[in-house]
Amino acid sequence: MPVHAGGRAYGDDVKVDVLIIGAGAAGLMCALTAGQRGRQVLVLDHANKPGKKILMSGGGRCNFTNLGVTPAQYLSANAHFAKSALARYTPADFIALVEKHRIAYHEKELGQLFCEESSKLIVRMLLDECAAANVRIETSCAVQRVRKANESFAVSTAKGDIHADALVIASGGLSIPSMGATGFGYELARQFGHNVLATRAGLVPLTLSGKHQEHYQDLAGVALPVAQASVGKRSFRAGLLFTHRGISGPSILQISSYWQPGDDLRVDLSPEVDIGDWLVAQRAARPAAQLRNVLGDLLPKRLAQRLCELWLQSRPMHQYRDAQLREIGAQLHHWPIVASGTEGYRTAEVTLGGVDTDGLSSSTMQSKRVPGLYFIGEVVDVTGWLGGYNFQWAWASGYAAGQAV
Ligand code: FDA
């Protein structure tokens, strides 16, 4: 079956200026940018509709950027790589696009911008911009083979063969396979001689096992509004949630990108209150109260109860000496929890690692090995924190390549 590109029906061999594989955040941004420059652009995706991850993002409201984006919020083997693209397409640029399309948004917290209504509006905006720039998008189209033929690329697909002067790989990472994620981009990178750094799930709930899981699994659904999770010198202070399999919530998702099995995970259950001092003051005010009830005013009651069952031994407050209360405080500021693993790609928001940035130009995303080949978005070894940073990388890297192709 022939592919239709640029609104025209072609024969068996389609020829375009730019072929983009992956109609996600980065691919659509690259397509509309290149299309606006007059390039004839075709975007292929094997999924049945474009922008599926955008649709499910931010709980259906898409946290599309963050006002505080800097390169420091990204993980990569080369901490400098993202600087150029992030500087040339900023949150303000994306906000201007959102405002041009009259999409209402609000800042939730920490600079995170969300749609007022629905993520669908962001996908609609990108598709409208693509349509205005004469970009053709083909969904449900699997790529079978990619070859470099002289100066152009020959791509065999289920719908026919395509020749393109520039080939942009925007096929994302491995997270949420049920949404169409594949290792396609990594395999293609290797095929063309690129190094691919080991991948692992990021922004992902941590799992507990053995006695740790037994101790806490029935607390699933219990949440702390503020906890501080740390690995090494890296700390994140935000919510924590107990799940059936372990722990999650923003503080845990954030630290999961820095944690690896065997690392010492430290969790402070009440980072904003010195618990030792607080308990001493509570003893003066409520000497007959049980420790578990007092702690239930600081922590979720079911958690306070469980901690007392497990290792704090609740007694009336007047029976504790200052040093004992301060020791209890120290233990709660350093909760002895051991994570055994992560929930993996099934629930991860992102994939860490990927196409080694050493092989790419930081200003254009073009391969240093294969002229005309580009890698953008999550497939590249650049991973942002939780909070709109990953979409900003998708927009910025997509724009950089869209300007260059
Ligand atoms: P993306 O995954 O968006 O697109 C890749 C595309 O390539 C897909 O359409 C896929 O079908 C296609 N593809 C894959 N293999 C292919 C193949 N072999 N052939 C053809 N097509 C192929 N970030 C953020 O900043 N704010 C947020 O609110 C959220 N929320 C969020 C929620 C959830 C549940 C997840 C899983 C992720 C987020 N993220 C996020 C992360 C964000 O979604 C992610 O970083 C970007 O979508 C990455 O954009 P890309 O375009 O690189 O990949």
Side-chain angles (χ1 to χ4, degrees):
M1 178 182 154
V3 173
H4 297 265
R8 288 185 289 140
Y10 288 80
D12 279 339
D13 265 17
V14 174
K15 173 86 179 69
V16 290
D17 298 331
V18 183
L19 175 62
I20 300 173
I21 299 180
L28 293 175
M29 175 56 80
C30 180
L32 70 90
T33 307
Q36 284 165 359
R37 292 174 51 240
R39 300 290 186 269
Q40 192 188 25
V41 183
L42 173 61
V43 188
L44 293 187
D45 203 298
H46 69 161
N48 61 355
K49 60 182 172 188
K52 279 192 166 181
K53 274 198 192 160
I54 303 175
L55 292 174
M56 75 189 298
S57 68
R61 292 222 162 87
C62 187
N63 178 194
F64 55 79
T65 193
N66 192 298
L67 295 172
V69 166
T70 73
Q73 289 110 8
Y74 293 87
L75 293 86
S76 171
N78 177 356
H80 302 289
F81 181 80
K83 284 182 181 169
S84 167
L86 289 174
R88 281 180 301 125
Y89 192 87
T90 65
D93 292 318
F94 196 77
I95 292 166
L97 189 60
V98 166
E99 290 179 351
K100 178 181 147 199
H101 286 258
R102 300 180 185 283
I103 298 173
Y105 63 91
H106 64 278
E107 180 181 346
K108 197 169 159 200
E109 53 182 351
L110 306 169
Q112 302 168 4
L113 300 190
F114 284 77
C115 293
E116 206 68 65
E117 285 176 40
S118 164
S119 314
K120 286 182 192 159
L121 298 176
I122 298 292
V123 175
R124 185 74 267 152
M125 172 188 87
L126 296 167
L127 294 180
D128 285 350
E129 290 285 334
C130 282
N134 289 317
V135 171
R136 176 79 186 185
I137 299 170
E138 283 285 340
T139 51
S140 304
C141 183
V143 175
Q144 291 153 346
R145 199 154 74 104
V146 179
R147 283 175 298 121
K148 178 110 203 221
N150 302 320
E151 293 304 295
S152 67
F153 294 87
V155 178
S156 307
T157 79
K159 296 185 177 181
D161 288 350
I162 302 153
H163 295 269
D165 295 336
L167 178 64
V168 182
I169 306 304
S171 52
L174 295 167
S175 38
I176 323 270
S178 58
M179 280 288 131
T182 69
F184 173 84
Y186 308 125
E187 286 152 31
L188 189 121
R190 286 192 195 99
Q191 177 192 331
F192 283 101
H194 277 266
N195 186 32
V196 177
L197 300 175
T199 57
R200 61 192 168 87
L203 301 181
V204 63
L206 297 178
T207 52
L208 307 176
S209 62
K211 69 177 183 350
H212 292 280
Q213 191 190 17
E214 285 164 26
H215 288 162
Y216 299 107
Q217 66 184 357
D218 67 323
L219 296 186
V222 169
L224 282 84
V226 187
Q228 180 165 302
S230 311
V231 168
K233 289 187 178 146
R234 182 67 64 175
S235 293
F236 290 96
R237 192 177 281 200
L240 182 147
L241 173 74
F242 286 86
T243 69
H244 289 288
R245 302 182 60 197
I247 44 177
S248 184
S251 63
I252 298 300
L253 296 178
Q254 295 279 34
I255 207 69
S256 73
S257 295
Y258 291 87
W259 178 88
Q260 301 215 44
D263 284 351
D264 181 24
L265 168 72
R266 301 183 313 282
V267 178
D268 182 339
L269 293 172
S270 181
E272 292 176 343
V273 174
D274 182 318
I275 305 174
D277 284 355
W278 184 82
L279 285 173
V280 169
Q282 291 296 312
R283 183 189 55 195
R286 309 158 67 185
Q290 282 282 333
L291 174 69
R292 65 170 169 272
N293 294 334
V294 171
L295 280 177
D297 288 347
L298 185 69
L299 302 173
K301 288 195 172 16
R302 285 172 61 202
L303 175 61
Q305 170 84 32
R306 180 57 42 86
L307 295 173
C308 287
E309 287 163 13
L310 290 172
W311 40 277
L312 296 179
Q313 288 162 5
S314 182
R315 301 199 298 265
M317 291 297 284
H318 68 84
Q319 294 186 13
Y320 294 94
R321 296 189 307 274
D322 278 18
Q324 289 172 308
L325 292 176
R326 293 196 197 285
E327 174 55 27
I328 290 169
Q331 287 179 290
L332 295 174
H333 285 304
H334 198 144
W335 181 38
I337 191 73
V338 178
S340 57
T342 77
E343 288 194 3
Y345 295 119
R346 191 178 58 81
T347 58
E349 278 200 15
V350 287
T351 303
L352 293 148
V355 178
D356 191 344
T357 58
D358 274 358
L360 305 177
S361 153
S362 62
S363 57
T364 64
M365 306 294 132
Q366 185 169 197
S367 162
K368 289 179 186 168
R369 303 180 61 91
V370 185
L373 179 63
Y374 297 75
F375 292 88
I376 58 174
E378 197 177 317
V379 74
V380 177
D381 171 36
V382 174
T383 307
W385 289 0
L386 186 77
Y389 300 99
N390 284 295
F391 278 136
Q392 189 58 36
W393 169 246
W395 315 137
S397 58
Y399 178 83
Q403 283 289 327
V405 282

